[in-house]
Amino acid sequence: MNLAERDKAHLWHPLTQHKLKPNHLPIVKAKGVTLYDDEGKEYIDGIASWYTCMYGHCNAYITSKIKAQLNELDQVVFSGFTHKPAIELSEKLIAILPSKQNKLFFSDNGSTAVDVAIKMALQYFFNKKEKRTRIIALEEAFHGDTFGAMSVSGLSIYNGPFESFLLTIDRIRVPTEHNSKTVFTHFKNLVATGEVAAFIYEPLVQGANSMRMYDANLLNELLAIAKKHNVIAIADEVMTGFGKTAKHFASEYMFHQPDIICMAKSLTAGVAPMALTSCTQKIYEAFYDDAITKGFFHGHTYSANPLACTAAIAGIDLLVSKDIQERISEISTKHLAFERYIKNHHKVRSTRCLGVIFALDLNIKMDRYGFLRDKLFNYFMEEGVFLRPLGNTIYVLPPFVITNTELDRIYNVIENALELV
Ligand SMILES: *Cc1c(COP(=O)(O)O)cnc(C)c1O
């Protein structure tokens, strides 16, 4: 039996209705921007495997560091013990994080990074004996699939069975130049109750919401209001972090900075699942006390796994390198040129671009995971390009190491695909 057949016996895949999608393509190898299936067919990884492998798959610098670490220390309990990879990572990361971030808390994935952030914010006020229990989130946000993260997410079509178990959240619309006045007033009224503990947002780009982008000045205004009322600002940089918006973190586009930042996905350069929730000294100090119960009693078995920390350190080394910074700016320039070229195509309704993220909306209505969307997906795969359209949105978020020729190939396949719909 081949791999695809063996897969069917015991595996249950994420985000999948198996009755409608029984087949999963075996990938046997990945190198740089290329995925290889079990028949040797090649695909350009146009979304960096969900924005994780930003320095290319099986990057030689990263794998050599991990191999060396594997001979020294594989895993140790991070409660009561510490180790060099975690310490080195903290020093390198704090140096590039937006100002005032000073403490790092480890967990395993983007969803847990968000859960940790929510718990930190709620316990911050609990410890200070201030009754603040409400949380504000943006409509159509995506923050993950655990209960806390699901609660603050607004893309809720899949949350039906769990709705009554979720936290109660106040939702505001994503601000635009047309609705901003109403949104600001709504936000002000909510925070004026004095009951709001935190405001959570994906800075500038809502990834799962079809790469929707919004204006830095408008977000800055919301942050200014939050700051004024001592509401904790939680930036979910799980998708936007580590160079994708052309700055190390999207938060750098705003004057007002978050109190808490969530990181995962490309934190470990796509090699290992690991997440971080960073916070300011001010947050940390509310937990620092003689009373044991004021501490943060949250912890995952694999916290700060030394191999994952090593991958993260190597990833940061590459991120800040001249080579990668040049690639980011070149990809960004090429995206803008393609945007100018394609935006007047009669099948295109709108386009947007930030850093290495490019998205276009087709001017027809399509279901998020419907028939037409599948037709597009299958066409891309036949053409050897892995892209995952979301409804009628086609987006590209390639590894930084993609060449101009490979990028042109993606643009070309997208342009041809417009004739299909
Ligand atoms: C992917 C994502 C998450 C969830 O991360 P997982 O590692 O899949 O749990 C949370 N927030 C944002 C913005 C994301 O893009």
Side-chain angles (χ1 to χ4, degrees):
M1 257 201 304
N2 65 21
L3 290 174
E5 287 306 315
R6 283 163 62 194
D7 170 273
K8 285 178 192 160
H10 305 297
L11 294 176
W12 190 341
H13 289 264
L15 307 172
T16 301
Q17 171 50 274
H18 278 265
K19 189 164 184 191
L20 300 175
K21 291 261 166 62
N23 298 313
H24 290 80
L25 179 66
I27 296 296
V28 295
K29 185 181 156 71
K31 186 75 192 160
V33 300
T34 311
L35 303 172
Y36 300 84
D37 73 14
D38 59 341
E39 291 178 347
K41 186 168 162 61
E42 300 180 12
Y43 309 87
I44 299 176
D45 188 352
I47 62 164
S49 290
W50 270 338
Y51 353 122
T52 56
C53 306
M54 298 307 292
Y55 314 97
H57 292 271
C58 300
N59 180 295
Y61 175 74
I62 297 171
T63 52
S64 72
K65 294 281 182 184
I66 295 171
K67 281 179 192 161
Q69 181 59 41
L70 197 44
N71 291 322
E72 297 300 324
L73 175 66
D74 50 359
Q75 164 70 4
V76 69
V77 170
F78 201 59
S79 182
F81 293 115
T82 192
H83 52 73
K84 196 163 154 225
I87 294 165
E88 231 175 86
L89 171 58
S90 69
E91 292 162 353
K92 288 203 166 170
L93 185 56
I94 293 293
I96 61 165
L97 274 171
S99 68
K100 296 213 180 134
Q101 297 297 308
N102 197 42
K103 293 284 177 182
L104 304 178
F105 191 93
F106 285 95
S107 63
D108 298 338
N109 56 67
S111 309
T112 56
V114 167
D115 277 11
V116 165
I118 293 170
K119 286 174 73 174
M120 260 182 198
L122 292 173
Q123 193 180 338
Y124 171 87
F125 289 109
F126 182 87
N127 283 359
K128 286 179 157 302
K129 301 199 165 39
E130 245 186 87
K131 197 186 168 311
R132 289 192 185 230
T133 52
R134 291 167 75 169
I135 296 168
I136 303 177
L138 292 174
E139 275 182 7
E140 298 185 312
F142 177 75
H143 295 290
D145 287 339
T146 53
F147 272 86
M150 226 181 356
S151 298
V152 285
S153 297
L155 280 171
S156 58
I157 42 170
Y158 305 108
N159 290 353
F162 320 111
E163 213 110 272
S164 60
F165 302 99
L166 301 178
L167 303 172
T168 308
I169 303 295
D170 295 300
R171 277 179 221 290
I172 59 165
R173 289 165 69 193
V174 174
T176 65
E177 58 171 319
H178 303 295
N179 72 11
S180 63
K181 266 201 173 136
T182 326
V183 172
F184 293 157
T185 308
H186 184 198
F187 192 68
K188 273 182 197 153
N189 290 341
L190 287 170
V191 297
T193 61
E195 294 167 5
V196 177
F199 166 48
I200 183 165
Y201 56 96
E202 295 154 275
L204 303 189
V205 191
Q206 293 188 304
N209 186 19
S210 307
M211 296 292 158
R212 174 168 182 177
M213 296 182 187
Y214 63 108
D215 185 72
N217 291 320
L218 299 177
L219 176 55
N220 194 55
E221 190 61 37
L222 289 174
L223 292 174
I225 300 166
K227 297 276 152 182
K228 200 173 143 210
H229 291 84
N230 201 21
V231 168
I232 293 174
I234 303 172
D236 178 353
E237 295 245 19
V238 169
M239 196 282 289
T240 51
F242 301 96
K244 296 179 203 90
T245 66
K247 294 194 188 280
H248 293 338
F249 294 91
S251 291
E252 293 168 47
Y253 283 94
M254 274 66 67
F255 171 78
H256 290 291
Q257 293 300 314
D259 305 284
I260 295 178
I261 300 180
C262 305
M263 291 159 267
K265 290 202 166 107
S266 64
L267 164 67
T268 55
V271 180
M274 186 175 78
L276 278 170
T277 307
S278 68
C279 71
T280 60
Q281 188 66 20
K282 179 183 118 176
I283 302 284
Y284 178 76
E285 273 167 13
F287 294 76
Y288 190 82
D289 199 274
D290 290 325
I292 192 167
T293 52
K294 283 202 172 176
F296 192 50
F297 282 86
H298 182 114
H300 297 282
T301 309
Y302 273 98
S303 290
N305 171 259
L307 301 171
C309 288
T310 302
I313 296 166
I316 294 172
D317 287 346
L318 293 175
L319 175 69
V320 301
S321 71
K322 189 163 158 280
D323 278 1
I324 292 294
Q325 286 301 312
E326 275 173 13
R327 282 311 300 152
I328 291 174
S329 106
E330 206 163 315
I331 293 168
S332 185
T333 307
K334 280 185 70 72
H335 276 351
L336 288 168
F338 179 61
E339 178 177 42
R340 277 194 301 277
Y341 168 76
I342 205 77
K343 73 176 180 201
N344 294 321
H345 191 289
H346 66 285
K347 295 277 176 66
V348 174
R349 193 184 68 210
S350 54
T351 56
R352 55 200 167 275
C353 214
L354 183 66
V356 302
I357 309 167
F358 168 81
L360 69 77
D361 301 324
L362 300 165
N363 62 7
I364 53 165
K365 204 173 138 36
M366 279 161 62
D367 290 332
R368 191 169 168 88
Y369 294 116
F371 163 77
L372 258 179
R373 179 265 173 206
D374 287 352
K375 189 170 161 188
L376 271 180
F377 175 82
N378 292 335
Y379 175 75
F380 291 141
M381 290 299 278
E382 271 163 36
E383 293 294 313
V385 173
F386 171 46
L387 295 175
R388 263 183 130 251
L390 284 170
N392 66 345
T393 303
I394 300 172
Y395 73 91
V396 186
L397 203 168
F400 301 139
V401 294
I402 196 167
T403 63
N404 288 348
T405 316
E406 288 158 339
L407 206 46
D408 287 335
R409 166 110 190 89
I410 294 180
Y411 298 147
N412 193 259
V413 171
I414 290 176
E415 188 181 357
N416 293 339
L418 296 180
E419 300 312 321
L420 282 183
V421 293

